[in-house]
C-alpha cells in the first residue's frame, strides 16, 4: 500500500527478501515529476491494489534500480508498464541481460529528471555502485543499501551476533561494516559523497531502515564521518 512520505513522494514497504540467510525488509518510493509522470525508485513486487493506487497518481514513465542489487521486481514492473523506461544503475545491465533497459544512469541526468533531482554515483565500492538521489521539492535523500538499520530482535541466533558486528542494529541508520570494508577506493568514495553531504537535506529515505525526518544533514555527517579519516 502506498503511503504519503513527503511532497510528491509516496512509499510502500515490500516483503522481506533473503540474502545468505539474512532477511531484509524492503521499501520503494514513487515520485511525481514536474511533468506529472511517475519515477519509481527501487520497486517492490506489484499487485492489483498497488497498481490501482499507482495509476491514480499518474503515468509511470521511469522504473529505476538505484544499484545492481535492487532489481528483483524490475521484470514484473516492466510487464505492468511496458511503455515505461527501465533505468539501470552501473553494472546492472550485464547482470540482467534478460531485461530491456532504456539506459544506464550516468553522471548526467536525463532532462526530465533534472528538474526534480540531483544525484551522485557513489564510486569505489566493490559490492555495489549506488546512485544516491536528492529530491529537491521535498529535500529527501534516497539511499538503497549504503545506509541500513534493523530493529532489535529482527535477527535470531548467530545472525543476531553477526548483525551486531556488522553495525546493522545501531540506534540510527549507518553504513554496515561490510560496505565500509568494500570501499577499496576511498578517494573516489569521498569525492562522490561530497555533494551528498552538501545537499540541503530535510529527510533521508532508505530501502532497509527507519527514515530520518529530523536534522537530516547532521545525520548524514555522522553516518559518513568514518570515511573522512
Amino acid at each position: 500500500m502506498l503511503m504519503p512520505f513527503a511532497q510528491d513522494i509516496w512509499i510502500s514497504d515490500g516483503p522481506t527478501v533473503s540474502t545468505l540467510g539474512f532477511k531484509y525488509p524492503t521499501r520503494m518510493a514513487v515520485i511525481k515529476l514536474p511533468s506529472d509522470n511517475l519515477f519509481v525508485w527501487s520497486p517492490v513486487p506489484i499487485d492489483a491494489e498497488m497498481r490501482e493506487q499507482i495509476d491514480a497518481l499518474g503515468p509511470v514513465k521511469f522504473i529505476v534500480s538505484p544499484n545492481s542489487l535492487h532489481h528483483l521486481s524490475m521484470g514484473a514492473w516492466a510487464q505492468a508498464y511496458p511503455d515505461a523506461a527501465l533505468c539501470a544503475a552501473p553494472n546492472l545491465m550485464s547482470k540482467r541481460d534478460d531485461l530491456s533497459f532504456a539506459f544506464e544512469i550516468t553522471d548526467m541526468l536525463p532532462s526530465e529528471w533534472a528538474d526534480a533531482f540531483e544525484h551522485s554515483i557513489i564510486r569505489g565500492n566493490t559490492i555495489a555502485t549506488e546512485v544516491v538521489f536528492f529530491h529537491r521539492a521535498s529535500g529527501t535523500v534516497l539511499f538503497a543499501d549504503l545506509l541500513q538499520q534493523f530493529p532489535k530482535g529482527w535477527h535470531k541466533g548467530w545472525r543476531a551476533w553477526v548483525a551486531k558486528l556488522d553495525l546493522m542494529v545501531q540506534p540510527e541508520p549507518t553504513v554496515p561494516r561490510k560496505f565500509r570494508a568494500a570501499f577499496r577506493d576511498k578517494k573516489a568514495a569521498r569525492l562522490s559523497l561530497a555533494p551528498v553531504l552538501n545537499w540541503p537535506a530535510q529527510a533521508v529515505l532508505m530501502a532497509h531502515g527507519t527514515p530520518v525526518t529530523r536534522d537530516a544533514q547532521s545525520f548524514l555527517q555522522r553516518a559518513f564521518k568514518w570515511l573522512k579519516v
Side-chain angles (χ1 to χ4, degrees):
M1 176 180 292
L2 288 177
M3 299 173 292
F5 177 76
Q7 180 181 340
D8 294 332
I9 300 183
W10 295 260
I11 61 174
S12 180
D13 291 344
T16 59
V17 296
S18 182
T19 301
L20 300 176
F22 287 85
K23 294 182 178 180
Y24 286 75
T26 57
R27 177 178 296 121
M28 65 175 280
V30 177
I31 300 170
K32 179 168 284 193
L33 300 173
S35 62
D36 287 334
N37 290 319
L38 300 181
F39 174 104
V40 178
W41 174 88
S42 188
V44 300
I46 185 170
D47 57 20
E49 179 183 8
M50 180 180 290
R51 182 161 185 177
E52 184 177 354
Q53 290 181 303
I54 292 283
D55 292 344
L57 293 176
V60 174
K61 186 67 177 294
F62 300 102
I63 302 168
V64 180
S65 174
N67 65 29
S68 60
L69 305 176
H70 283 233
H71 60 85
L72 297 180
S73 295
M74 296 286 281
W77 279 79
Q79 290 183 349
Y81 297 100
D83 294 332
L86 292 187
C87 310
N91 306 316
L92 180 57
M93 293 179 75
S94 59
K95 183 176 183 178
R96 290 297 307 269
D97 58 5
D98 58 311
L99 297 176
S100 296
F101 287 99
F103 58 86
E104 180 177 289
I105 301 168
T106 67
D107 289 326
M108 182 169 291
L109 282 177
S111 58
E112 192 169 358
W113 298 8
D115 289 341
F117 297 106
E118 294 181 42
H119 82 304
S120 185
I121 300 174
I122 309 301
R123 296 183 167 90
N125 196 288
T126 59
I127 296 177
T129 300
E130 183 162 316
V131 185
V132 178
F133 291 94
F134 175 65
H135 181 239
R136 290 194 183 98
S138 66
T140 300
V141 183
L142 293 96
F143 279 90
D145 287 315
L146 287 180
L147 290 173
Q148 299 181 21
Q149 183 192 38
F150 295 79
K152 290 183 179 180
W154 178 270
H155 301 96
K156 304 297 182 183
W158 65 268
R159 290 185 179 86
W161 179 74
V162 172
K164 183 176 180 179
L165 286 179
D166 198 33
L167 305 178
M168 297 165 69
V169 288
Q170 296 298 294
E172 64 181 4
T174 192
V175 182
R177 285 192 197 276
K178 57 180 172 290
F179 277 93
R180 298 185 187 200
F183 275 112
R184 300 297 175 85
D185 188 341
K186 288 186 169 56
K187 181 178 180 180
R190 292 186 189 104
L191 286 173
S192 51
L193 186 67
V196 176
L197 299 180
N198 286 321
W199 289 333
Q202 299 297 313
V204 180
L205 183 64
M206 60 211 76
H208 314 297
T210 304
V212 173
T213 56
R214 297 182 61 184
D215 299 323
Q217 284 185 302
S218 298
F219 160 72
L220 289 172
Q221 295 289 337
R222 293 194 301 275
F224 290 98
K225 183 178 180 180
W226 62 273
L227 189 57
K228 298 179 181 180
V229 298

